[in-house]
Amino acid sequence: MQAMPGVVEANPEHGGSRTLEFVGISMFSLLGPGNSQIKEMRQKTGADVRLRRKEDGVTVDITGTPEQVQQAAAMVEEIGTAAQATDTVTETLEFPSAASGAIIGAGGANIRMLKQQCKVEVVLEKQDPVCLVHINGNAAQVQQAKTMLQNVVKHDTQTAAAAGTPPPAPSAPSA
């Protein structure tokens, strides 16, 4: 099997393991909403499929019987190729760690709201002293989610100031 454009095959042997590297796509594209695509792939094939984020893409490690590996690799390649053909973007916003509670919301309500209303994937990554929020979707969806998220944090900062609590120091978004 020949590697597709944007796919670098690290070990083309179809034994009990295989590694595929996708250049220019995000991890979200392979995981699917709520990790649905990766779960379905594991369930249908029985293979162990693991993803690793790279600076320029995603590495996919697949292990199992030769049949499981071949079946899972075909599914991964199909999803990866489709992802490369779509117009998805991932943007990362940076906030102070103190804002993470407002970003998440009570019981995860704000993250769920962003996912449902904007149809985006959202991953929050706490890295003291900052909180990184990765948003993935098409450009319009990502822009809508960014605006909503910035408004949530702004509202929380204003509420804290009115209550006499010092607001978190603002951080610049990163692309």
Side-chain angles (χ1 to χ4, degrees):
M1 177 178 280
Q2 210 169 14
M4 293 180 216
V7 179
V8 178
E9 191 152 354
N11 63 340
E13 303 305 317
H14 291 285
S17 70
R18 190 165 173 198
T19 300
L20 299 171
E21 294 186 6
F22 290 85
V23 179
I25 67 168
S26 75
M27 198 166 198
F28 297 109
S29 301
L30 293 173
L31 288 171
N35 297 335
S36 61
Q37 291 180 148
I38 195 79
K39 287 176 185 175
E40 179 183 358
M41 202 179 308
R42 288 172 177 157
Q43 185 179 22
K44 282 185 174 180
T45 67
D48 182 25
V49 182
R50 300 194 183 263
L51 306 178
R52 290 181 281 139
R53 188 181 333 210
K54 298 180 355 172
E55 187 174 314
D56 63 344
V58 180
T59 298
V60 182
D61 297 308
I62 305 169
T63 56
T65 67
E67 295 80 20
Q68 291 171 331
V69 170
Q70 185 175 7
Q71 197 176 20
M75 291 178 78
V76 169
E77 288 174 346
E78 182 179 330
I79 293 167
T81 300
Q84 289 169 330
T86 62
D87 226 359
T88 62
V89 296
T90 300
E91 288 204 35
T92 301
L93 300 176
E94 184 176 298
F95 297 98
S97 289
S100 63
I103 292 166
I104 296 168
N110 290 343
I111 295 291
R112 272 194 309 280
M113 174 190 66
L114 285 172
K115 289 179 174 182
Q116 290 170 354
Q117 289 184 14
C118 302
K119 307 290 188 237
V120 294
E121 281 294 315
V122 180
V123 174
L124 184 107
E125 190 178 344
K126 295 180 184 177
Q127 296 182 346
D128 246 355
V130 298
C131 169
L132 301 176
V133 181
H134 308 283
I135 305 171
N136 185 63
N138 70 37
Q141 293 166 329
V142 169
Q143 185 56 49
Q144 180 186 11
K146 281 174 45 179
T147 301
M148 289 175 72
L149 186 58
Q150 289 165 337
N151 288 338
V152 164
V153 173
K154 181 179 177 181
H155 179 264
D156 184 67
T157 302
Q158 290 170 343
T159 303
T165 308
S171 297
S174 61

